[in-house]
Amino acid sequence: MKKILKGIIKLLLILLLIFTNSVQGQLNIPENPKKIYPVNDYAGVLSHIQIQELNERLIQYSKKTSTEILISIVRDLYGEDPNFLASKWGNKWHIGKKYKNNGIIILLSINDKKISIQNGYGIEPYLTDFTTRRIIQKMKPLLKKNLYYKAIDISIKEIFRIMKNEYINKENKKNYFSKWNFVFSISIFLMMFFFICLCKKGIDPSLLNTLFLTNILFKKKYSDNEDSFDGFGEGGNFGGGGSCDNW
């Protein structure tokens, strides 16, 4: 009886161990944030300043080209395939434009020492499997030294260089300048009108400096509004290839 009881206990322990490993052996991709920023450091290996600097550069690049580059850093993959996970992440968060599919995911797993770069369908003609492998090879020496920021920095510089001016957001650029030219023209007209009125009424024209100051403040406010960031994730699809490696 005791032997049977011990056998049952051992079996239960084995089943419990298998169940625990199966539960731990999955990495659930986080739900889409309300506002998706380029850098998502779930492992805490980057400083706030480094994250801010990378975010600013990737946001500006996205505004210029419409291409969205997402950096995802996790502590562990729990046995997941990095290529599959990166591509799945890109699809879940819809990185890239809806009809351009021009999203790029750079996934780092710190404990596994694995990196994957995956592309949206629209990126494949420009960022091939071969070029992503070359980028990863340039990153590996830095990753081995735990220089994560420098490794990410060199990767996005290489992507900028390879992509060059693909997907230039000409429409947004045209709209921006047309709006600004209209606002600037109206501002100049109003300043001239008030200047003439002040001179006719005998009021000191030096008060015009106030108008110039107001115009500068308005210009800054307008620029700030133009530079607003709505977040990544506009309907892009993944599966355009990529590469992964250990470091």
Side-chain angles (χ1 to χ4, degrees):
M1 186 68 180
K2 289 183 179 179
K3 289 182 178 180
I4 295 174
L5 184 61
K6 286 181 179 179
I8 293 173
I9 292 173
K10 286 182 179 179
L11 180 61
L12 289 173
L13 289 173
I14 292 170
L15 291 173
L16 180 63
L17 182 62
I18 293 172
F19 174 76
T20 303
N21 288 335
S22 64
V23 171
Q24 290 181 345
Q26 290 182 348
L27 175 64
N28 293 322
I29 297 171
E31 292 300 320
N32 307 30
K34 291 183 178 179
K35 192 172 185 179
I36 301 175
Y37 283 90
V39 181
N40 298 267
D41 181 13
Y42 296 99
V45 296
L46 300 177
S47 69
H48 291 297
I49 295 175
Q50 290 172 340
I51 292 173
Q52 182 179 358
E53 195 276 337
L54 289 172
N55 275 333
E56 288 176 357
R57 287 166 59 193
L58 293 173
I59 289 171
Q60 290 303 316
Y61 181 74
S62 177
K63 288 181 179 180
K64 180 181 178 182
T65 66
S66 78
T67 298
E68 298 179 356
I69 302 174
L70 187 80
I71 312 294
S72 297
I73 307 174
V74 298
R75 181 59 62 180
D76 205 306
L77 292 172
Y78 297 107
E80 295 279 1
D81 177 77
N83 282 341
F84 174 75
L85 185 67
S87 183
K88 187 178 177 182
W89 200 317
N91 279 321
K92 184 174 181 178
W93 284 20
H94 306 294
I95 303 303
K97 301 298 181 183
K98 186 173 183 179
Y99 298 106
K100 295 180 179 178
N101 298 314
N102 54 340
I104 300 170
I105 304 288
I106 300 176
L107 174 68
L108 298 175
S109 178
I110 304 305
N111 289 344
D112 300 291
K113 298 186 182 298
K114 289 184 178 181
I115 176 173
S116 175
I117 300 177
Q118 294 296 304
N119 309 326
Y121 289 107
I123 297 293
E124 187 177 10
Y126 314 105
L127 200 63
T128 64
D129 294 355
F130 176 74
T131 53
T132 52
R133 281 196 294 270
R134 288 182 58 186
I135 293 172
I136 290 174
Q137 291 304 313
K138 290 186 177 182
M139 296 174 69
K140 284 172 65 173
L142 296 169
L143 292 171
K144 288 178 180 178
K145 298 178 182 179
N146 298 332
L147 299 174
Y148 304 112
Y149 171 79
K150 289 186 176 180
I152 295 170
D153 176 64
I154 198 171
S155 70
I156 62 176
K157 283 180 178 177
E158 283 295 303
I159 292 173
F160 291 171
R161 182 185 63 80
I162 294 167
M163 294 291 292
K164 292 183 181 178
N165 293 325
E166 297 298 338
Y167 290 113
I168 286 293
N169 210 355
K170 295 179 181 179
E171 183 178 353
N172 288 347
K173 188 175 181 181
K174 181 180 179 181
N175 290 338
Y176 172 80
F177 282 109
S178 62
K179 289 178 182 178
W180 169 241
N181 287 336
F182 174 76
V183 173
F184 182 76
S185 300
I186 293 296
S187 300
I188 293 297
F189 173 78
L190 290 175
M191 283 189 292
M192 291 179 64
F193 176 77
F194 280 114
F195 179 77
I196 294 171
C197 291
L198 289 173
C199 291
K200 286 184 177 181
K201 292 184 178 182
I203 299 174
D204 187 358
S206 63
L207 292 175
L208 192 62
N209 291 333
T210 305
L211 294 176
F212 276 110
L213 180 60
T214 303
N215 183 59
I216 291 171
L217 293 174
F218 176 78
K219 179 181 176 182
K220 183 180 185 303
K221 183 178 180 181
Y222 179 80
S223 298
D224 289 341
N225 290 335
E226 280 295 309
D227 290 338
S228 62
F229 175 62
D230 296 327
F232 281 1
E234 298 185 33
N237 287 317
F238 275 70
S243 303
C244 74
D245 203 349
N246 297 347
W247 73 76

